Amino acid sequence: MQRYFIHLSYDGANYHGWQIQPNGNTVEETIERALTTLLRHPIDITGAGRTDTGVNASMMVAHFDADEHTVADCKQLAYRLNRMLPRDIAIHGISPVGSDMHARFSAISRTYHYYIHTTKNPFLGRYSWEVHYPLDFQLMNEAAQMLVGERDFKCFCKAGADVKTTICNVTDAHFERIDGNFAEDRGDRHLFVITANRFLRNMVRAVVGTLVDVGRGRITLDDFQRILETGSRSDAGESVPGYALFLSDIKY
């Protein structure tokens, strides 16, 4: 059997996340069904992460195993797979990899992007969260720097999540302003970037929600530090909407 990596992207609006669920349409199931039809035998795929309902991926990696004679031409398979899949899932490439490569466990880092705008804009509402109050992004960046390092992030983990450990190593966390020259770019737009070796369920959305609480003056930097060090999920901020969140990069 040969192992293959799939590089893809998807709009998560019509899916209950990546991972197969008993009662919900998922990205994983949709791709598996198409591959099984094309290769004419059952195919299981494993993704690099498990995005939540409505969350997008501008870059996702998944792997599957198949007889190399069945996958005679990776480029042709990617083409046929794109023809079969719905418009909100795009396959960018399929390539053979070593049997020791694993889409999830071989990844050394993942990066998420979260988009915020503070001026009403009819072109941004689908993929950016519109905030109706002023935010102090400089203060939010000070708080974001407290996230960097290896620590227990249980305060940002969804209650009841089935994980063996809540320790993650965050290597970057910051807000940056987005400037554009076109009508659809008008408005006060900001991007939150966070990179870590792993992420907990709902972690990024909870982090952004708590940073926004800092930016609007609901909690202080000292409060944020306390939440990070000793708090529980109920102490942190609300989870922000999933439609503005993108899994954007994976390093191997």
Side-chain angles (χ1 to χ4, degrees):
M1 298 290 280
Q2 172 67 53
R3 176 154 293 181
Y4 297 89
F5 266 22
I6 310 172
H7 287 81
L8 67 142
S9 58
Y10 55 85
D11 180 334
N14 295 321
Y15 300 96
H16 289 77
W18 167 267
Q19 190 175 21
I20 291 176
Q21 299 179 25
N23 301 304
N25 186 34
T26 67
V27 180
E28 182 180 38
E29 180 183 17
T30 303
I31 297 172
E32 280 190 0
R33 188 167 55 240
L35 273 174
T36 294
T37 299
L38 289 173
L39 298 181
R40 299 180 182 177
H41 65 85
I43 295 292
D44 295 321
I45 65 173
T46 300
R50 300 173 181 177
T51 55
D52 293 334
T53 298
V55 175
N56 313 289
S58 52
M59 177 184 179
M60 170 63 91
V61 178
H63 78 248
F64 70 95
D65 297 326
D67 190 307
E68 60 185 327
H69 299 294
T70 305
V71 186
D73 186 332
C74 288
K75 189 174 182 179
Q76 180 65 18
L77 178 59
Y79 172 79
R80 295 174 64 199
L81 191 54
N82 270 322
R83 292 290 299 271
M84 182 171 288
L85 289 170
R87 293 174 62 87
D88 52 13
I89 301 176
I91 306 300
H92 303 299
I94 299 175
S95 57
V97 296
S99 59
D100 59 334
M101 289 295 292
H102 192 285
R104 182 181 177 190
F105 298 126
S106 297
I108 59 174
S109 74
R110 298 158 176 84
T111 298
Y112 279 89
H113 288 172
Y114 195 89
Y115 293 87
I116 293 175
H117 62 286
T118 55
T119 302
K120 186 176 181 180
N121 188 316
F123 303 109
L124 299 179
R126 187 170 179 178
Y127 300 110
S128 178
W129 180 39
E130 185 177 317
V131 177
H132 300 283
Y133 31 77
L135 295 174
D136 185 335
F137 283 96
Q138 181 175 341
L139 198 63
M140 290 160 69
N141 265 331
E142 290 183 43
Q145 286 307 297
M146 299 178 188
L147 298 167
V148 176
E150 186 175 64
R151 63 168 69 243
D152 193 332
F153 285 92
K154 65 180 183 297
C155 60
F156 299 125
C157 183
K158 186 171 184 176
D162 182 21
V163 292
K164 294 181 180 179
T165 177
T166 50
I167 294 175
C168 307
N169 185 17
V170 173
T171 54
D172 183 29
H174 72 275
F175 285 91
E176 56 188 63
R177 179 157 184 161
I178 303 173
D179 294 314
N181 299 317
F182 301 101
E184 59 269 26
D185 289 322
R186 290 176 187 157
D188 192 3
R189 300 182 63 198
H190 287 80
L191 167 65
F192 178 64
V193 180
I194 184 167
T195 301
N197 63 328
R198 63 190 293 267
F199 287 91
L200 307 172
R201 188 178 179 188
N202 202 54
M203 177 175 163
V204 180
R205 292 164 61 196
V207 164
V208 175
T210 312
L211 289 172
V212 166
D213 281 347
V214 173
R216 62 186 298 196
R218 298 182 70 179
I219 63 174
T220 66
L221 290 176
D222 287 340
D223 293 332
F224 186 84
Q225 186 69 50
R226 270 194 301 274
I227 291 169
L228 190 57
E229 292 178 350
T230 62
S232 64
R233 180 64 191 92
S234 60
D235 297 316
E238 295 183 3
S239 294
V240 292
Y243 59 79
L245 179 62
F246 288 76
L247 174 58
S248 64
D249 194 21
I250 305 166
K251 300 293 188 189
Y252 290 90

